[in-house]
């Protein structure tokens, strides 16, 4: 489905620090997996910690003899501390490692930003499929968080100018670092502020707006998994009483900033598409919206464009 990104990426390698035997890693892995199963956590996360977090070489580990030596970028003691935090505090493994794979990027994350989700990756494919990789113009990612969408967009649309906005200074700091470490720092302008507010100079000029805004109804947040409700920033989750506060604002304000025919694309919570389509229709400023489903079959994105009136 996705086209290959055409812009180059620079990637930082992590240094190797520790030598262990295959037998030691197997024993550690077995114990950690038992803890995961007992705690209702997917044991595959143990392998993620080993392969991504400690740079364990898969084949050598799988095929090695018990006495064979392996290199890890983190000690087993450090991994044990991580795993205890994972089981005890339900801290997401992505925050423990400080990074997450997203499309072909490796993004730094901290509890200041939402962990970018796999389903959000499709927002870049939608742009490539509907606009083509040669699209230029000025594009914005509102509520950029870790910068995932802005970076994906900068890779996908090599001729576009990208602006990324977030009201969180901490999130923006991380998003900037992510852009720098992937060689995209000069492609994206970052702004601190609320939604379109920092983009007054771009009024009427934007080719497209992308956003994955906070959309969870406030009352549902305490009932989410503890990994989410206790660890991810509520600023990134809380969509107000009905979950639609930010979406409503984006429907109302975007026509002032988009050029005629400018693209409006948001991620939503499954089940919100009828309400969002109604808001778009009531505004009178948009073409008939299209609801796009994710791989699990849930309504996940709403796509439209401003009309030419
Ligand atoms: C659901 S997260 C999305 C993060 C990232 N775009 C992603 O897809 O992983 C929503 C983001 O919107 C930001 N946000 C919340 N209210 C905002 C506002 N009024 N103006 C700008 N950004 C806001 C949060 O700080 C958070 O980074």
């Amino acid at each position: 489905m996705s086209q290959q990104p055409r812009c180059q990426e620079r990637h930082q390698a992590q240094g190797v620090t520790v030598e262990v035997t295959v037998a030691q890693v197997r024993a550690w892995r077995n114990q950690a997996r038992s803890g995961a199963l007992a705690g209702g956590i997917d044991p595959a996360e143990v392998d993620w910690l080993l392969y991504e977090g400690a740079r364990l070489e898969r084949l050598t580990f799988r095929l090695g003899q018990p006495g064979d030596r392996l290199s890890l970028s983190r000690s087993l003691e450090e991994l044990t501390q991580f795993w205890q935090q994972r089981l005890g505090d339900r801290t997401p493994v992505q925050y423990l490692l400080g990074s997450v794979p997203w499309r072909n990027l490796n993004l730094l994350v901290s509890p200041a930003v939402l962990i970018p989700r796999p389903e959000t990756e499709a927002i870049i494919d939608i742009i490539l499929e509907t606009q083509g990789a040669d699209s230029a113009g000025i594009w914005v990612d509102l509520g950029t968080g870790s910068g995932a969408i802005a970076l994906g967009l900068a890779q996908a649309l090599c001729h576009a100018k990208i602006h990324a906005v977030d009201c969180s200074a901490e999130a923006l700091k991380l998003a900037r670092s992510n852009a720098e470490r992937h060689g995209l720092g000069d492609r994206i302008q970052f702004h601190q502020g609320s939604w379109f507010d920092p983009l007054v100079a771009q009024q009427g000029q934007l080719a497209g707006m992308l956003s994955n805004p906070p959309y969870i109804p406030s009352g549902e947040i305490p009932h989410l998994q503890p990994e989410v409700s206790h660890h991810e920033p509520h600023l990134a989750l809380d969509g107000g009483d009905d979950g639609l506060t930010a979406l409503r604002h984006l429907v109302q304000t975007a026509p002032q900033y988009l050029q005629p025919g400018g693209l409006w694309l948001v991620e939503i919570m499954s089940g919100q598409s009828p309400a969002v389509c109604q808001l778009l229709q009531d505004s009178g400023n948009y073409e008939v919206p299209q609801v796009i489903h994710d791989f699990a079959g849930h309504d996940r994105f709403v796509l439209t464009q401003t009309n030419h009136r």
Side-chain angles (χ1 to χ4, degrees), residues 102 107 112-117 120 123 141-150 165-169 171-172 191-198 210-215 233-238 246 249 267:
W102 193 84
L107 297 173
V113 298
L114 185 96
I115 296 163
R117 304 295 203 266
T120 306
I123 207 164
D141 169 24
L142 298 183
T144 197
S146 63
I149 294 174
V165 177
D166 207 290
C167 59
S168 157
L172 280 174
H191 309 264
Q192 189 180 3
S194 186
W195 306 127
F196 283 104
D197 287 358
L210 278 67
S211 185
N212 174 17
Y215 51 59
H234 285 206
L235 183 62
L237 303 172
D238 194 337
H249 181 80
E267 181 173 321

Side-chain angles (χ1 to χ4, degrees), residues 88-145:
D89 302 340
R90 310 292 290 202
T91 308
V93 79
Q94 297 90 333
Y95 288 151
L96 295 172
L97 295 178
S99 65
V100 62
W102 193 84
R103 291 182 70 86
N104 65 331
L105 302 163
N106 184 271
L107 297 173
L108 301 175
V109 290
S110 79
V113 298
L114 185 96
I115 296 163
R117 304 295 203 266
E119 59 267 28
T120 306
E121 295 184 1
I123 207 164
I124 307 299
D125 296 315
I126 295 168
I127 293 298
L128 282 168
E129 281 165 16
T130 60
Q131 310 300 299
D134 288 330
S135 282
I138 310 171
W139 290 75
V140 295
D141 169 24
L142 298 183
T144 197

Side-chain angles (χ1 to χ4, degrees), residues 3-228:
Q3 297 178 24
Q4 283 299 310
R6 304 175 340 154
C7 307
Q8 270 200 334
E9 181 194 350
R10 286 197 291 270
H11 192 70
Q12 280 184 345
Q14 205 178 341
V16 169
T17 52
V18 189
E19 281 219 342
V20 287
T21 62
V22 167
Q24 284 173 313
V25 179
R26 285 193 183 140
W28 187 89
R29 179 175 181 266
N30 289 340
Q31 204 179 349
R33 282 175 63 89
S34 303
L37 288 167
I41 288 172
D42 184 353
E45 287 193 20
V46 175
D47 289 341
W48 189 5
L49 204 56
L50 284 169
Y51 297 136
E52 300 297 327
R55 302 288 153 109
L56 174 64
E57 217 278 302
R58 282 164 208 257
L59 266 189
T60 321
F61 175 56
R62 290 252 165 95
L63 305 177
Q65 296 300 310
D68 290 351
R69 300 196 77 74
L70 296 164
S71 296
L72 296 182
S73 63
R74 287 186 161 104
S75 69
L76 290 177
E77 290 72 26
E78 197 182 349
L79 293 179
T80 300
Q81 278 177 14
F82 278 172
W83 197 241
Q84 281 168 350
Q85 240 181 304
R86 177 73 191 95
L87 298 181
D89 302 340
R90 310 292 290 202
T91 308
V93 79
Q94 297 90 333
Y95 288 151
L96 295 172
L97 295 178
S99 65
V100 62
W102 193 84
R103 291 182 70 86
N104 65 331
L105 302 163
N106 184 271
L107 297 173
L108 301 175
V109 290
S110 79
V113 298
L114 185 96
I115 296 163
R117 304 295 203 266
E119 59 267 28
T120 306
E121 295 184 1
I123 207 164
I124 307 299
D125 296 315
I126 295 168
I127 293 298
L128 282 168
E129 281 165 16
T130 60
Q131 310 300 299
D134 288 330
S135 282
I138 310 171
W139 290 75
V140 295
D141 169 24
L142 298 183
T144 197
S146 63
I149 294 174
L151 268 70
L153 198 59
Q155 282 187 326
L157 307 184
C158 295
H159 307 298
K161 286 188 180 154
I162 318 282
H163 292 266
V165 177
D166 207 290
C167 59
S168 157
E170 270 186 278
L172 280 174
K173 199 169 159 206
L174 208 64
R176 276 199 188 94
S177 303
N178 278 324
E180 291 298 333
R181 70 200 293 268
H182 287 91
L184 297 168
D186 55 352
R187 295 283 320 284
I188 306 168
Q189 267 181 266
F190 293 94
H191 309 264
Q192 189 180 3
S194 186
W195 306 127
F196 283 104
D197 287 358
L199 303 173
V200 174
Q202 282 76 33
Q203 279 193 13
Q205 295 173 33
L206 301 179
M209 176 218 85
L210 278 67
S211 185
N212 174 17
Y215 51 59
I216 299 174
S218 310
E220 289 187 25
I221 292 176
H223 307 293
L224 299 173
Q225 292 174 303
E227 283 81 351
V228 180

